[in-house]
Amino acid sequence: MKTEYVERPDLQSDAGRREIERAGEIIRRGGLVVFPTETVFGLGGNGLDAEAAAKIYAAKGRPSDNPLIIHIAEPSDAKKYTETTDLFDRLALRFMPGPLTVVLPAKPIVPKTVTAGLPTVAVRCPSHPVAHALIAAAGVPIAAPSANLSGSPSPTTFSHVREDLDGRVDMILGGECEIGVESTIVRLDSPSSLTLLRPGGITPEQLGEFARVTLSDAVLNKLKEGETVQSPGMKYKHYAPKTPLFLLRGDLQSRIAYLSRQTGRFAVLAGGEEIEALSRHPASPVLFDFGDDPAIRLHRLFFLLREADKAGCERIYAALPETEGLSLALYNRLIRAAGYQIIETN
Ligand code: TXA
Ligand code: MG
């Protein structure tokens, strides 16, 4: 199919608003529109249309046992599609619109193809103005996974979306993804407790102000063979660049020493001090500026994994992140991208 592009939707102009209206109509009629959110790009279809959901799985090459998130324009719309609770209302008041997804019991109106047959459905109210305008224009909730081909890192720029989905969707809307990794997903277990299924821009520490937080095993660890998963997406190899990625556990000096011994062409996602030390090194690795702050690293992570993949290297290295605050999301994505390959350098 021929994909239409609106690289910079302008919500302030009449022409821009007309484009969003048209995108909404494509969704309403069962077509697919890729749109920016504050986390990553989403590949959207009508969340109440079983056939649209089937098209989403096909466009992504995604196994259909991995359920979709439905995106709503207002937090209060959650009640139309799910059984909400007081805890949901309190979380929604604090974190929505924003990068939080909540898993709740689904109402019968939600098609089984969206939930992959589960009795629950994940809902999220994005804060990105283009996402909000599109959902409002569609007049239906939008089911959307991340807009990557299954297995590759989620796209955070217009050009990365285009590389994956050109010719597979009706329309692509551009925009900025401020956070850079997918939303935090929680399941509500009781009025005062929840399970963190996937870490993201809302941290466990922030959620802890509202409920007791348990981390799902899959957040920090590799699933054992045959283990049942609380969030089906966790079982798939994810976010992986094609070039093998290795994570280094050790202090800065030991990491630099280790990298200095490497031969061949390799890339490093490096912070300021590493760049300083490695740029003088004879091995001259390909250096990607990963920044030093966890929010900046999250913002750059998927972008850099894709760019590092194009640099023609044999290996990519990065330091193993901490597991506190925003770094938990970084840790979770990096260990998957690395296929859990960690090298001790101390
Ligand atoms: O930030 C995001 O969440 C992005 C943007 C586009 O909104 N979307 C996204 O969707 O990351 P996706 O499909 O790539 O990841 C959704 C995750 C999957 O791991 C899936 O297994 C899980 O949510 N999930 C969906 N419904 C679920 C449910 N009912 N119970 C448990 N996990 C669920
Ligand atoms: Mg995804």
Side-chain angles (χ1 to χ4, degrees):
M1 86 177 57
K2 178 145 172 51
T3 302
E4 259 182 83
Y5 296 101
V6 183
E7 188 167 352
R8 289 189 190 78
D10 174 12
L11 301 175
Q12 311 310 324
S13 75
D14 284 345
R17 281 191 292 267
R18 276 197 299 276
E19 282 163 340
I20 298 288
E21 280 304 323
R22 215 156 43 75
E25 197 182 325
I26 292 174
I27 297 271
R28 221 168 26 248
R29 292 196 176 162
L32 301 182
V33 177
V34 171
F35 61 100
T37 84
E38 70 279 20
T39 59
V40 299
F41 278 81
L43 197 186
N46 182 346
L48 301 179
D49 175 351
E51 277 175 38
K55 278 197 203 169
I56 292 174
Y57 291 113
K60 254 183 93 85
R62 176 177 185 150
S64 57
D65 66 344
N66 192 1
L68 305 174
I69 295 174
I70 60 172
H71 296 70
I72 52 181
E74 309 298 332
S76 58
D77 288 343
K79 292 186 172 46
K80 299 182 193 165
Y81 314 112
T82 67
E83 308 290 348
T84 60
T85 64
D86 286 351
L87 178 54
F88 173 83
D89 289 340
R90 279 182 281 131
L91 291 170
L93 204 58
R94 171 70 178 82
F95 299 115
M96 291 182 187
L100 180 69
T101 296
V102 183
V103 174
L104 291 163
K107 288 193 168 167
I109 187 174
V110 183
K112 288 286 172 212
T113 41
V114 169
T115 64
L118 292 177
T120 51
V121 64
V123 282
R124 156 158 146 71
C125 178
S127 61
H128 195 293
V130 172
H132 180 271
L134 175 67
I135 304 164
V140 290
I142 297 185
S146 48
N148 49 299
L149 289 177
S150 201
S152 63
S154 298
T156 54
T157 62
F158 181 76
S159 70
H160 284 172
V161 167
R162 204 168 170 164
E163 283 169 15
D164 274 19
L165 294 177
D166 188 25
R168 292 174 164 260
V169 296
D170 297 288
M171 192 183 219
I172 298 178
L173 304 173
E176 291 291 318
C177 300
E178 199 183 322
I179 295 176
V181 298
E182 308 88 343
S183 59
T184 299
I185 305 182
V186 297
R187 183 189 65 206
L188 309 186
D189 298 320
S190 82
S192 59
S193 64
L194 58 81
T195 301
L196 183 82
L197 301 178
R198 181 177 74 183
I202 307 291
T203 65
E205 291 82 353
Q206 287 176 292
L207 294 164
E209 292 174 23
F210 295 83
R212 191 157 32 79
V213 178
T214 305
L215 293 199
S216 165
D217 262 358
V219 170
L220 292 171
N221 304 306
K222 187 175 181 170
L223 287 165
K224 293 174 205 75
E225 204 61 48
E227 194 171 344
T228 51
V229 282
Q230 294 170 316
S231 186
M234 291 291 192
K235 74 182 173 199
Y236 297 105
K237 182 164 158 109
H238 242 118
Y239 320 117
K242 291 176 199 75
T243 316
L245 168 68
F246 298 90
L247 301 178
L248 306 182
R249 176 159 43 207
D251 58 31
L252 178 69
Q253 289 313 319
S254 72
R255 294 200 308 270
I256 300 293
Y258 178 86
L259 290 169
S260 304
R261 291 194 299 273
Q262 299 311 303
T263 54
R265 186 173 162 83
F266 62 97
V268 185
L269 307 190
E273 288 179 306
E274 283 163 315
I275 290 185
E276 175 106 352
L278 291 167
S279 55
R280 286 184 261 108
H281 195 273
S284 61
V286 183
L287 298 174
F288 289 94
D289 181 4
F290 204 14
D292 290 303
D293 170 78
I296 293 175
R297 290 191 168 201
L298 275 186
H299 178 72
R300 295 183 184 169
L301 176 67
F302 288 149
F303 177 80
L304 290 184
L305 286 179
R306 282 176 179 252
E307 292 302 310
D309 234 358
K310 294 179 203 156
C313 293
E314 293 156 33
R315 283 151 288 136
I316 307 170
Y317 296 98
L320 184 71
E322 309 280 306
T323 55
E324 306 283 297
L326 276 182
S327 290
L328 179 65
L330 202 56
Y331 180 96
N332 172 272
R333 302 310 191 278
L334 271 171
I335 54 170
R336 284 180 168 64
Y340 304 88
Q341 306 180 93
I342 297 173
I343 296 169
E344 305 286 341
T345 59
N346 272 337

